[in-house]
Amino acid sequence: MASIDHPVVIDGVLKEIGDRLFYETVRPIKQMPRRTMTGVFRLPKHQPAKRDVHYIQRKLVFTVRRAVEVMVKISGGPKGMAHIKAHLEYISRNGQLTLESEDGAIWTGKDELKDLQDQWRYGGYPIVEDTSKQAYSVILSMPPGTDRAAVTLAAREFAHQEFRLNYSYVFATHDDEKHPHVHLCVKAMGKDGVRLNPRKADLQRWREIFADRLRANGIEANATRRPVRGVTKRSRKQAVVHLEKRGFKSHYREALTQAATAFIRNGSPITNPLRPQILRTRQFVVASWNAIGHALQGQGEGQLSKEVKAFVEALPPVESVGERLEQQLRAQINNKQKDKGVDR
C-alpha cells in the first residue's frame, strides 16, 4: 500500500494518473513517409513529451491554485497571397506596427511590408494560388492586467522554439485592446518542403510551451484542457463570432433559437446529445483528482491534498448552454406568470 515510506510507488501513481488527466489520448497517425516538395520521402518528426513526476506535480499545483490559463488559437488559414497580404496588413496595422521575423529582422512601414510580402511570395517555396492553406494565423493572448512586455517576450520565445528552424513567420504585438496579445503568421510550407499541419495535440503543446515561456518571464500561467477544470462550455470559433458581429446568424445560434422557440411553445426540453459523454468525462476527472489527493496524502503532502479536495468540491456543475438557456426561459416564464397573478 502506498505510504510516505514508499515515495517511488506514489510518484508512479501521480505520474500515471496525472498523464491521463492532463493529456488526453490522441489517436496516433499512421507513420507513413511523407513526400516533400522536392520529391524526397521522409518520416514525420516527433518531439517526445518530457513529463516526469515533478512536471506533473507542478502542473497540478498551478491548476488547483487556479493560475491564469493561456490562450493559443489558430484564427485562420490564408489560402493565397492576396489573403496573406491582407492579414499581414491587418496585424501590422498597414505598416504602422513593427513586424518581427524568425531571423530577428524588423519590418516597419508600408515599403518594408511590401518587401516582406514579396519575400514570402517568391522566397523558398513560392506561395501558390490554390485552395490549400498557405499560412496559419495564430493568436497568443493573456487576460487584461498581464504584463504586456512579458507576453511579447514569451510569444517571441515560443515562436523561436517551435518554428524558427523550419518555418518562416512574423509576429506583431497589439496593445490597443485590454487583453495583451500577439498575432503570429506562419508560412505553411517548411524550408524542408513539409507542410505545417497542426492537430489537436499540437495546439495543446503550443499552449504548454507558451505557458512555460510566460513563467520563465515572471508570469504565473497554466495550460490545461477545459474538462480538467470542470469547464463544459466549448469556446466559440472565431469565424462564428465575426459572422454574428456582422449581423449574420450562425447555424449554432439558429439551432438555439429554434430550440428556445419549441420550449416556449410546447415545453420541449432543450436537450444536448453530448450530455452522456460530458457526464462520463466529469466522472473520470473527479475520480482522477480524488486519486491524486489520496496519493498526495500518502506522500505527506497534507496541505496540497486539502487544496485538491477543495478544488474538486468547487468544480462547476455539468451544464450545457442549452440547459442554461432552458433554466433562464423557465425563470422568465414563471416571473411573467407571477406578475399576471399580481395584476389580477
Side-chain angles (χ1 to χ4, degrees):
M1 182 176 176
S3 70
I4 196 169
D5 298 322
H6 298 86
V8 175
V9 175
I10 296 173
D11 282 354
V13 172
L14 287 175
K15 173 69 168 61
E16 181 181 354
I17 298 175
D19 259 336
R20 291 204 308 265
L21 178 63
F22 293 120
Y23 303 96
E24 65 183 340
T25 303
V26 178
R27 184 175 298 173
I29 307 172
K30 190 176 181 182
Q31 298 304 301
M32 295 294 291
R34 291 189 289 179
R35 186 173 183 174
T36 68
M37 291 290 289
T38 58
V40 176
F41 286 87
R42 52 182 296 190
L43 287 171
K45 293 180 179 178
H46 290 282
Q47 296 179 344
K50 298 178 180 178
R51 305 177 200 142
D52 58 16
V53 66
H54 301 295
Y55 183 89
I56 295 295
Q57 286 179 324
R58 287 196 300 271
K59 197 168 186 66
L60 72 88
V61 168
F62 280 122
T63 304
V64 298
R65 293 177 183 173
R66 302 191 183 279
V68 175
E69 292 283 329
V70 304
M71 193 277 284
V72 177
K73 67 179 178 181
I74 296 175
S75 61
K79 295 182 178 179
M81 197 59 221
H83 289 170
I84 292 176
K85 177 177 179 291
H87 184 64
L88 293 178
E89 289 174 349
Y90 166 71
I91 67 174
S92 69
R93 295 291 192 258
N94 204 23
Q96 295 179 20
L97 299 181
T98 295
L99 291 174
E100 183 176 328
S101 54
E102 74 278 2
D103 57 359
I106 302 299
W107 308 78
T108 307
K110 292 184 177 180
D111 291 339
E112 291 189 6
L113 180 59
K114 186 177 184 306
D115 291 340
L116 173 64
Q117 292 164 0
D118 289 340
Q119 180 175 308
W120 273 41
R121 183 195 297 268
Y122 303 114
Y125 292 101
I127 298 292
V128 295
E129 302 296 331
D130 62 14
T131 57
S132 60
K133 293 178 180 178
Q134 300 298 312
Y136 284 92
S137 307
V138 182
I139 299 176
L140 302 100
S141 176
M142 287 293 284
T146 309
D147 183 84
R148 294 179 181 273
V151 172
T152 299
L153 282 172
R156 177 186 290 115
E157 292 169 6
F158 158 77
H160 185 276
Q161 178 176 334
E162 186 67 16
F163 302 117
R164 182 183 65 87
L165 293 178
N166 195 38
Y167 295 97
S168 298
Y169 65 81
V170 291
F171 69 87
T173 300
H174 282 192
D175 290 328
D176 54 352
E177 295 185 33
K178 291 182 179 179
H179 57 285
H181 63 284
V182 172
H183 287 269
L184 173 67
C185 187
V186 186
K187 193 173 180 180
M189 186 63 71
K191 298 170 185 177
D192 61 355
V194 176
R195 294 180 62 83
L196 184 64
N197 183 29
R199 296 169 63 85
K200 193 174 183 179
D202 295 311
L203 285 172
Q204 178 59 24
R205 189 183 73 253
W206 291 1
R207 292 185 69 230
E208 292 190 3
I209 295 173
F210 184 44
D212 177 71
R213 294 297 83 209
L214 281 165
R215 291 193 293 269
N217 285 282
I219 304 296
E220 284 196 2
N222 200 18
T224 56
R225 298 181 297 120
R226 289 189 301 272
V228 174
R229 310 187 304 276
V231 179
T232 56
K233 182 180 178 181
R234 288 179 177 270
S235 57
R236 299 175 65 198
K237 292 185 177 180
Q238 195 75 3
V240 173
V241 173
H242 287 309
L243 278 174
E244 292 183 354
K245 281 184 177 179
R246 290 161 55 190
F248 295 98
K249 272 192 175 181
S250 64
H251 293 302
Y252 167 79
R253 185 63 60 184
E254 186 65 32
L256 274 181
T257 302
Q258 292 176 1
T261 303
F263 175 77
I264 293 171
R265 287 179 176 174
N266 51 37
S268 300
I270 304 176
T271 59
N272 182 358
L274 295 178
R275 182 171 176 78
Q277 178 182 336
I278 294 172
L279 287 173
R280 287 195 300 271
T281 300
R282 173 57 65 87
Q283 291 169 356
F284 163 76
V285 167
V286 171
S288 298
W289 275 118
N290 286 336
I292 287 174
H294 289 312
L296 289 169
Q297 186 69 41
Q299 199 176 29
E301 297 278 358
Q303 179 57 39
L304 186 54
S305 178
K306 289 180 181 178
E307 291 183 46
V308 169
K309 182 180 179 181
F311 177 82
V312 173
E313 292 174 348
L315 289 176
V318 177
E319 194 176 56
S320 67
V321 174
E323 289 169 331
R324 283 193 293 273
L325 177 60
E326 181 177 326
Q327 291 175 6
Q328 292 169 3
L329 292 172
R330 195 181 298 278
Q332 290 175 10
I333 292 171
N334 291 338
N335 289 335
K336 285 183 179 180
Q337 290 175 345
K338 288 181 181 179
D339 291 342
K340 287 183 180 179
V342 171
D343 291 341
R344 290 175 185 173

